[in-house]
């Protein structure tokens, strides 16, 4: 097989319905993928439980899911900023960009 500079990139694909139906389990899956052993099991559990509680509270108070009838990018960005998991999702793009840039520099 041919090796490329992007061989170390991993992608986790999850549906939004997983987050709405199973918020804690989906959050744990995400945190395990992104942080692995860098965060303790207890810390990941705490974050996932906080996310689940915040999500359930929003749903119970009638707050519609961010994807309900609207694909507005600004609305999504604001929702992620105000959401517990948003803190952790917010820097993914910069982390990936920095990793790709570093990898590119190392292969030159």
């Amino acid at each position: 097989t041919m090796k490329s500079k992007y061989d170390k990139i991993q992608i986790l694909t999850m549906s939004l319905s997983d987050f709405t139906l199973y918020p804690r389990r989906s959050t744990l899956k995400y945190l395990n993928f992104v942080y692995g052993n860098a965060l303790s099991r207890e810390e990941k559990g705490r974050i996932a439980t906080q996310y689940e509680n915040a999500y359930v509270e929003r749903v119970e108070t009638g707050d519609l899911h961010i994807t309900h009838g609207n694909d507005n990018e600004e609305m999504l960005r604001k929702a992620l900023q105000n959401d517990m998991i948003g803190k952790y999702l917010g820097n993914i793009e910069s982390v990936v960009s920095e990793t790709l840039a570093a990898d590119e520099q190392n292969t030159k």
Side-chain angles (χ1 to χ4, degrees), residues 78-93:
K78 285 182 180 179
L80 289 174
Q81 288 171 347
N82 295 327
D83 198 61
M84 183 65 197
I85 197 71
K87 290 192 294 188
Y88 302 97
L89 290 172
N91 294 325
I92 296 293
E93 182 179 4

Side-chain angles (χ1 to χ4, degrees), residues 1-65:
T1 61
M2 292 180 54
K3 296 247 181 207
S4 78
K5 61 184 175 182
Y6 302 110
D7 284 347
K8 294 181 183 178
I9 294 175
Q10 298 179 12
I11 299 172
L12 172 67
T13 304
M14 297 176 67
S15 72
L16 286 174
S17 64
D18 285 346
F19 274 99
T20 59
L21 295 172
Y22 313 104
R24 186 175 191 285
R25 182 170 62 188
S26 298
T27 303
L28 282 172
K29 183 176 181 180
Y30 163 77
L31 292 171
N32 282 323
F33 178 79
V34 173
Y35 294 103
N37 293 328
L39 284 179
S40 70
R41 182 181 306 184
E42 293 79 17
E43 182 68 8
K44 288 184 274 192
R46 185 188 63 74
I47 293 167
T49 298
Q50 283 181 317
Y51 176 77
E52 178 182 46
N53 292 340
Y55 178 78
V56 168
E57 183 179 326
R58 282 198 327 253
V59 170
E60 287 175 349
T61 60
D63 190 4
L64 295 175
H65 188 265

